[in-house]
Amino acid sequence: MLATTKEMLLKAQAGKYAVCAFNAENMEMAQAIVQAADALRAPVIIQTTPSTAQYGGLHVLYAMVSALAKKTGVPVALHLDHGDGFPLICRALREGYTSVMIDGSRLQFDQNAALTIQAALVAQASGVPIEAEIGYVGGKEDGLSNEAKTGLTDPYDAERFVKFTGVDSLAVGIGTAHGFYKQKPFIDTKRLAEINSRVGVPLVLHGATGLSDHVIVDCISNGICKINFATELRAVFTEAVRLTLSGTESIIDTKKYLSEGREAVFELAKKKIVLSGSKNKV
Ligand code: 13P
Ligand code: ZN
């Protein structure tokens, strides 16, 4: 069933595990994610960025994910990832998204807080929980953002930010970046522990592609309750399609190669669900 991220993340916080949030860009990816969650009895979040929303249409993405969610017994949330402004938040809420992120992390503290408060008011009034971000996650997510910048979250700022804005979850900058890492990142789990001790809400890890299993487990034990995976899913999907099509020009049935992408995402999503500890948490 379609669910919000509110209860999902609070349960994860209490149980010291994380819920996987997978970015989906087409029907096959969304199907693979729901099938993986269903197979492992795990709550799951499907998320879409502004550029995916522009590509597919919020209404189409909602129709697709809610239809998939209806046919499974596990909770599935549909989340707007990196919502870049108030108008898009309102549109996602109107379409039926069950979770939203307002990303004002490029702004100064006060401006970020002002934008976040505005978005939080409208989301929470609609019964939809909201994620915000303070500090930078570096790299480039789907055409958006904070290129090359990586700003670590100040624990004291994080505490003030959550108090001011009343958000339901908080994305933090602890050294991760979107996309594949060019060199081994230093993930500041000490900082994460300090943020977690000051902030009561579930914490969110962006840029999980390429992190070692050990780092991910460490982050979960220090307060991370939602982990975002995007690039890795795209990569295995594309690789599987490429492999299927390579050396042949006879395949023209799109189902023949997109189903290979779907299978690859299904296998990867299952691995991440097991790693996050959310298996059998329904
Ligand atoms: P990756 O692309 O590094 O997996 O990051 C995902 C993410 O943070 C989506 O918001
Ligand atoms: Zn992100």
Side-chain angles (χ1 to χ4, degrees):
M1 57 278 191
L2 205 57
T4 76
T5 48
K6 181 80 185 182
E7 199 199 346
M8 229 182 240
L9 296 187
L10 289 176
K11 271 175 81 177
Q13 188 179 40
K16 289 198 170 298
Y17 61 92
V19 178
C20 290
F22 298 116
N23 288 64
E25 293 168 339
N26 55 35
M27 178 186 79
E28 287 77 8
M29 292 173 92
Q31 286 176 320
I33 294 162
V34 173
Q35 279 162 11
D38 198 47
L40 298 180
R41 308 299 303 155
V44 78
I45 299 164
I46 294 185
Q47 52 188 21
T48 65
T49 58
S51 84
T52 304
Q54 202 178 3
Y55 176 76
L58 288 167
H59 62 300
V60 174
L61 296 165
Y62 173 78
M64 187 174 73
V65 174
S66 59
L68 292 169
K70 244 184 235 158
K71 296 277 181 196
T72 168
V74 301
V76 179
L78 177 59
H79 176 78
L80 176 70
D81 188 28
H82 292 287
D84 53 0
F86 188 65
L88 184 59
I89 297 284
C90 294
R91 291 210 332 264
L93 293 170
R94 228 172 23 237
E95 290 299 345
Y97 273 57
T98 59
S99 182
V100 290
M101 174 191 191
I102 181 75
D103 183 357
S105 62
R106 65 196 177 279
L107 305 171
Q108 294 299 320
F109 183 97
D110 288 352
Q111 293 163 299
N112 185 359
L115 174 65
T116 300
I117 287 168
Q118 191 187 29
L121 277 174
V122 65
Q124 290 165 343
S126 319
V128 171
I130 187 161
E131 172 186 332
E133 178 170 325
I134 183 154
Y136 290 120
V137 174
K140 201 170 180 182
E141 174 61 34
D142 220 5
L144 280 170
S145 106
N146 300 331
E147 282 214 65
K149 280 193 204 161
T150 301
L152 301 179
T153 302
D154 179 86
Y156 174 65
D157 278 353
E159 182 181 0
R160 285 194 305 144
F161 188 82
V162 170
K163 271 201 191 117
F164 285 169
T165 61
V167 291
D168 300 278
S169 62
L170 185 72
V172 292
I174 54 166
T176 61
H178 295 109
F180 288 113
Y181 293 94
K182 292 187 185 84
Q183 57 202 40
K184 194 170 174 241
F186 169 69
I187 307 305
D188 196 344
T189 44
K190 245 179 99 179
R191 178 181 298 268
L192 175 61
E194 172 73 18
I195 297 168
N196 192 38
S197 71
R198 288 173 175 266
V199 173
V201 298
L203 301 176
V204 180
L205 188 70
H206 283 244
T209 289
L211 295 180
S212 69
D213 290 0
H214 163 78
V215 165
I216 287 182
V217 168
D218 215 8
C219 287
I220 295 170
S221 64
N222 284 298
I224 292 294
C225 303
K226 170 177 180 271
I227 310 180
N228 291 3
F229 297 98
T231 306
E232 230 172 314
L233 268 70
R234 280 177 160 181
V236 297
F237 184 91
T238 305
E239 182 57 25
V241 171
R242 192 177 282 133
L243 209 68
T244 311
L245 291 176
S246 73
T248 171
E249 289 188 0
S250 61
I251 299 179
I252 56 162
D253 181 345
T254 63
K255 299 187 290 299
K256 284 238 159 66
Y257 53 91
L258 294 177
S259 57
E260 296 297 326
R262 179 168 63 191
E263 186 60 26
V265 171
F266 173 65
E267 292 303 329
L268 182 66
K270 281 194 297 185
K271 276 192 199 134
K272 300 302 182 189
I273 287 171
V274 171
L275 176 64
S276 72
S278 59
K279 184 181 168 185
N280 287 329
K281 289 297 196 293
V282 169

